[in-house]
Amino acid sequence: MSWQTYVDEHLMCDVEGNILASAAILGQDGSIWAQSAAFPQLKAGEIDGIIKDFNEPGTLAPTGLFLGGAKYMVIQGEPGAVIRGKKGPGGVTIKKTTQALVIGIYDEPMTGGQCNLVVERLGDYLVESEL
């Protein structure tokens, strides 16, 4: 299965009538493996900040999490495994796998819980597959 198929079929899927605003699978070096059409253009250093927070949990909390220049307030996550951010009525979930970052960005009417479910389910599958 191609990485784009994972994004199109497993991240941009219908959850109780709601769909993520955008999603992507990136290598931990920041390279884009696959993304939805609306995924933001990432700026220099944004992925470095995310990787640093996975390695040293809590580093993003004081400054916020940035994706495509948009700032998200970091909320509860799982140290070293999941980072969750909130921005107005929407937010972001990032799941770290062995080799990649699975990112889902949502907006109303989708909830943070629905976004977490979609992103973390695929991320857990990739971890089990050692990807």
Side-chain angles (χ1 to χ4, degrees), residues 63-101:
T63 59
L65 160 68
F66 288 87
L67 282 177
K71 182 178 181 178
Y72 295 84
M73 178 178 64
V74 177
I75 57 176
Q76 95 287 353
E78 296 169 29
V82 179
I83 299 172
R84 297 183 184 106
K86 187 89 173 112
K87 178 177 174 259
V92 62
T93 302
I94 306 170
K95 170 74 176 180
K96 181 180 181 231
T97 72
T98 308
Q99 301 175 24
L101 300 174

Side-chain angles (χ1 to χ4, degrees), residues 26-33 47-48 51 99 101:
L26 281 66
Q28 291 184 18
D29 61 357
S31 61
I32 296 170
W33 293 2
I47 295 303
D48 294 338
I51 292 294
Q99 301 175 24
L101 300 174

